[in-house]
Amino acid sequence: MSIEAADVVIVGAGAAGLMAAIVAAREAPGRRIVALDGARTIGAKILVAGGGRCNVTHHEVSERDYAGGSPHAIKQVLRSFGVRDTVAFFQELGVELKREGTGKLFPTTDTARTVLNALLTGLREAGGELSHPTRVRSITRSPADGPFRVEADGVTLLAHRVIMATGGMALPKSGSDGGGYAIARALGHSLREPILPALAPLVVTDPPWIRELSGVAVHASITLVSSSGKHLLTMDRDMLCTHFGLSGPGPMDVSRHWQMARVADRGAHILVSWQSGLTLDAVESMMRGSHAPALPWLREVVPERLARALLDAARVPVDASMRQLPKESRRALASLITQCPVRPSETRGFTYAEATAGGVPLDEVKLATMESRRCPGLSLCGEILDVDGRIGGFNFQWAWATGTLAGRSAARSLPPP
Ligand SMILES: Cc1cc2nc3c(=O)[nH]c(=O)nc-3n(C[C@H](O)[C@H](O)[C@H](O)COP(=O)(O)OP(=O)(O)OC[C@H]3O[C@@H](n4cnc5c(N)ncnc54)[C@H](O)[C@@H]3O)c2cc1C
């Protein structure tokens, strides 16, 4: 096992770690900046992101797009490195981004490989090093103001500054398996728990007929409600019924909120309006004014397979006249269309999640530099922190922003050579 000296060691070379390493290497030319990653394949998450096209950021990003840390703290970080900075950074690396109708920004090549290659080339050109597969086992510091001792597979590095960019636990086969949390704890940090899969599809058995609608896609409103019926939040998003339950942006965005609500209230569940914007009263009045039989009428509102399932669940015959439906049946059907109670049993877990809820609390880092308040000389960036964004490029924006702040401040605070 060799012992080597380094100026800045970055642990984890995902989006945040690569960004931190590039910025540190550019800020401190001639100093030794080393990124270590335990994964055999570098950038696996960047490559699968956005369906292989990598949704790099979103044209409009604000603290409201995130959960976890305090909105004020998240806003302060995002202000230091915003969407324009991301666009300019990638442009300088030769990656042009295009904005799609949804507001998401993708590389014009439509391939995530462009993004990863540009980051790896950018790191090399800035003089930074990347070593992998090199898993870090522990980080210690003795004496307290001495160099960090980074114990990794095959090598020990003695470093002035360390940046932890080990991510969360989503997609563990990519290398982000939560191992970084124990290292952060050993260096004096706490964790905001529970650590839960965010942006995860929902497993649904109640009502059972949802699983039979596999392939049906709708633009729905999803409302998270407490067991007492209090509305906690509502989001209008695309949704897909699958063989296990519900997937797509709506269910995935609500998943972290549903799990957090359930920690204190086991009865927390969701209400689905199968066509966003429709209210119970509006649907009832549409029914009263229609001469059409039930199925043709409902087919105009939702896809046919869903229409049949809703009629079946409300015990309304497909040929029943809408106008002549008994009041209770009309109400039951309108209620199923606009506020269908769905009780997920669980999420599909970290294997299928795109982010992690929980992590190192933001109040344990200085927001201008991402430097640890618990361990001077250590910085943290990316998903290891207690911040998770909604679907749309917000998690990468967090990684680019915090990676930049961490890399810059670590390099600028190096002792003279
Ligand atoms: C399928 C999927 C699709 C996604 N699509 C998008 C998208 O389109 N847009 C978007 O904004 N976000 C997307 N995300 C989320 C986004 O990928 C993450 O939020 C982001 O990659 C987090 O960056 P990070 O660098 O903090 O962590 P990670 O990317 O998880 O990187 C952490 C790295 O640390 C390494 N590591 C961990 N422990 C150690 C150790 N002990 N020693 C050495 N190395 C270690 C890991 O191998 C890994 O490479 C997606 C996520 C998934 C799973």
Side-chain angles (χ1 to χ4, degrees):
M1 164 99 74
S2 62
I3 300 187
E4 300 175 15
D7 289 295
V8 181
V9 167
I10 297 99
V11 185
L18 286 172
M19 189 69 169
I22 292 170
V23 173
R26 286 178 177 177
E27 285 283 337
R31 308 297 292 263
R32 188 167 184 218
I33 314 294
V34 188
L36 308 174
D37 200 294
R40 204 159 289 280
T41 310
I42 282 293
K45 238 183 238 189
I46 294 173
L47 291 177
V48 298
R53 295 196 300 135
C54 191
N55 175 197
V56 173
T57 185
H58 194 277
H59 90 104
E60 213 172 343
V61 176
S62 93
E63 66 282 7
R64 290 183 300 281
D65 300 307
Y66 297 85
S70 87
H72 180 74
I74 294 171
K75 182 176 179 179
Q76 192 175 326
V77 171
L78 296 171
R79 232 187 351 219
S80 308
F81 190 91
V83 177
R84 279 195 200 167
D85 298 306
T86 300
V87 172
F89 172 82
F90 278 102
Q91 202 160 38
E92 206 191 321
L93 289 184
V95 181
E96 292 295 333
L97 300 178
K98 59 170 175 179
R99 174 179 154 186
E100 301 203 333
T102 53
K104 296 177 182 178
L105 269 66
F106 291 89
T108 51
T109 56
D110 276 329
T111 159
R113 177 61 69 182
T114 311
V115 175
L116 179 60
N117 285 353
L119 289 167
L120 296 175
T121 305
L123 178 59
R124 208 172 40 245
E125 287 180 355
E129 299 170 35
L130 172 61
S131 171
H132 78 99
T134 309
R135 188 162 176 90
V136 171
R137 303 289 166 184
S138 71
I139 303 175
T140 51
R141 195 179 204 188
S142 173
D145 59 350
F148 289 93
R149 191 180 173 92
V150 181
E151 303 276 0
D153 291 346
V155 66
T156 295
L157 288 166
L158 302 178
H160 294 297
R161 300 281 176 268
V162 169
I163 300 175
M164 293 269 311
T166 46
M169 292 176 69
L171 199 67
K173 68 175 184 198
S174 68
S176 316
D177 56 5
Y181 294 138
I183 298 175
R185 267 191 203 275
L187 290 167
H189 282 283
S190 69
L191 291 181
R192 172 83 30 87
E193 292 179 294
I195 308 275
L196 294 169
L199 305 183
L202 300 173
V203 177
V204 177
T205 47
D206 177 13
W209 45 262
I210 284 185
R211 289 166 174 238
E212 284 155 30
L213 297 176
S214 185
V216 169
V218 290
H219 188 71
S221 290
I222 300 180
T223 301
L224 176 63
V225 289
S226 71
S227 50
S228 63
K230 185 174 171 208
H231 287 204
L232 304 173
L233 64 91
T234 295
M235 39 183 78
D236 288 0
R237 305 267 199 284
D238 289 340
M239 183 167 88
L240 179 68
C241 298
T242 72
H243 63 285
F244 57 79
L246 294 172
S247 191
M252 290 171 79
D253 279 340
V254 88
S255 62
R256 70 104 59 210
H257 301 285
W258 169 69
Q259 291 171 93
M260 287 293 177
R262 222 171 55 130
V263 170
D265 174 7
R266 292 298 293 176
H269 60 285
I270 59 177
L271 298 179
V272 172
S273 172
W274 294 96
Q275 178 59 266
S276 77
L278 279 189
T279 63
L280 183 72
D281 291 345
V283 168
E284 272 203 285
S285 115
M286 281 158 68
M287 284 174 165
R288 277 194 302 266
S290 172
H291 291 280
L295 183 60
W297 176 81
L298 193 47
R299 244 184 354 216
E300 296 292 311
V301 184
V302 296
E304 171 154 356
R305 283 171 63 206
L306 174 57
R308 286 184 184 275
L310 291 169
L311 291 172
D312 195 42
R315 297 179 200 284
V316 171
V318 290
D319 54 358
S321 157
M322 286 282 92
R323 270 171 81 96
Q324 285 158 16
L325 267 191
K327 196 173 165 204
E328 308 76 60
S329 302
R330 196 161 51 225
R331 182 132 277 238
L333 180 58
S335 178
L336 272 177
I337 296 169
T338 58
Q339 42 189 249
C340 177
V342 174
R343 297 176 194 280
S345 52
E346 57 184 335
T347 71
R348 291 198 94 202
F350 283 111
T351 308
Y352 294 94
E354 293 196 0
T356 309
V360 174
L362 274 192
D363 56 14
E364 293 183 8
V365 295
K366 297 175 189 168
L367 298 173
T369 60
M370 291 294 123
E371 194 188 346
S372 163
R373 291 183 189 278
R374 299 287 172 94
C375 178
L378 173 75
S379 306
L380 299 105
C381 58
E383 203 172 303
I384 190 174
L385 294 162
D386 175 30
V387 174
D388 52 294
R390 65 183 181 92
I391 286 182
F394 303 99
N395 284 302
F396 277 141
Q397 183 60 32
W398 179 254
W400 313 133
T402 53
T404 297
L405 296 178
R408 188 186 292 152
S409 73
R412 285 185 184 169
S413 66
L414 279 172

